[in-house]
Amino acid sequence: MSWFFHVNQGSNQQPPVMMPPSSSSSPSLADFPSVPQGLVPPSLENLSCTSLKSAAGREPLPLSYVTLQEQRCVLSWFLSWSTAQRERFLQDLLGKAVPGKVCTLLESLNTLQVKDSPPNIFECQLRLWTQWFESWNEEERNSFLHILEERDPIFVAHFYRGVAGTAGRD
């Protein structure tokens, strides 16, 4: 639904009636309906192209355009990664999901390497992934995991087993 529907629903007034355009070729202010008194439009943060359910708070708010594009980008990379790269990504994801667990820290240390050569594309992708992930809120992170699960449920099952395996371990 459009923003206009939300505005009209929020007030108990009838929607404004459109007047036929005047005979001049360009519209004038008189051609537009008047704004109901006391009506304040929502901020830009609250505008979306989603159903009324999300606006009413029954569903999570939609992702921002930037976050959605970042997530699509990471998913695209993920789908092109080799098995070894996906395993490295899994370890990185586990480290982000349960930060501070010694078992994930030790596994992350095993992936560190000192090189004289510049980073490869995969390493650059992981750096961008980390920057983006850190800027996402919890809901956006969960949304990414849901999108990833739709594409590769086996990978996400491994992730959940890995998270469960850290329970009770320091």
Side-chain angles (χ1 to χ4, degrees), residues 102-120:
V102 174
C103 55
T104 59
L105 291 174
L106 291 175
E107 290 169 3
S108 296
L109 286 174
N110 290 332
T111 63
L112 292 178
Q113 300 172 1
V114 178
K115 296 183 192 176
D116 288 336
S117 61
N120 62 34

Side-chain angles (χ1 to χ4, degrees), residues 137-166:
N137 62 35
E138 185 178 347
E139 186 176 308
E140 292 167 331
R141 292 173 181 180
N142 290 335
S143 173
F144 174 74
L145 198 58
H146 178 72
I147 292 168
L148 192 59
E149 187 174 23
E150 288 176 350
R151 292 299 182 121
D152 194 341
I154 294 171
F155 177 86
V156 176
H158 286 297
F159 167 74
Y160 285 132
R161 276 195 295 278
V163 169
T166 65

Side-chain angles (χ1 to χ4, degrees), residues 65-156:
Y65 177 78
V66 172
T67 300
L68 186 60
Q69 294 309 314
E70 290 169 350
Q71 291 183 358
R72 287 178 177 169
C73 193
V74 174
L75 183 62
S76 171
W77 296 338
F78 175 83
L79 295 174
S80 68
W81 287 338
S82 68
T83 303
Q85 290 170 326
R86 286 183 180 197
E87 180 61 33
R88 168 93 187 274
F89 179 69
L90 177 63
Q91 295 308 317
D92 189 68
L93 188 59
L94 280 169
K96 288 173 175 40
V98 284
K101 291 284 188 173
V102 174
C103 55
T104 59
L105 291 174
L106 291 175
E107 290 169 3
S108 296
L109 286 174
N110 290 332
T111 63
L112 292 178
Q113 300 172 1
V114 178
K115 296 183 192 176
D116 288 336
S117 61
N120 62 34
I121 290 176
F122 174 70
E123 291 165 348
C124 291
Q125 290 171 338
L126 283 183
R127 287 181 188 171
L128 266 176
W129 147 252
T130 296
Q131 289 174 3
W132 292 340
F133 183 85
E134 289 172 357
S135 72
W136 299 343
N137 62 35
E138 185 178 347
E139 186 176 308
E140 292 167 331
R141 292 173 181 180
N142 290 335
S143 173
F144 174 74
L145 198 58
H146 178 72
I147 292 168
L148 192 59
E149 187 174 23
E150 288 176 350
R151 292 299 182 121
D152 194 341
I154 294 171
F155 177 86
V156 176

Side-chain angles (χ1 to χ4, degrees), residues 3 6 41-50 54-55 61-62:
W3 172 72
H6 295 288
S43 68
L44 288 176
E45 295 170 344
N46 296 330
L47 296 178
S48 69
C49 299
T50 60
S54 64
L61 291 174

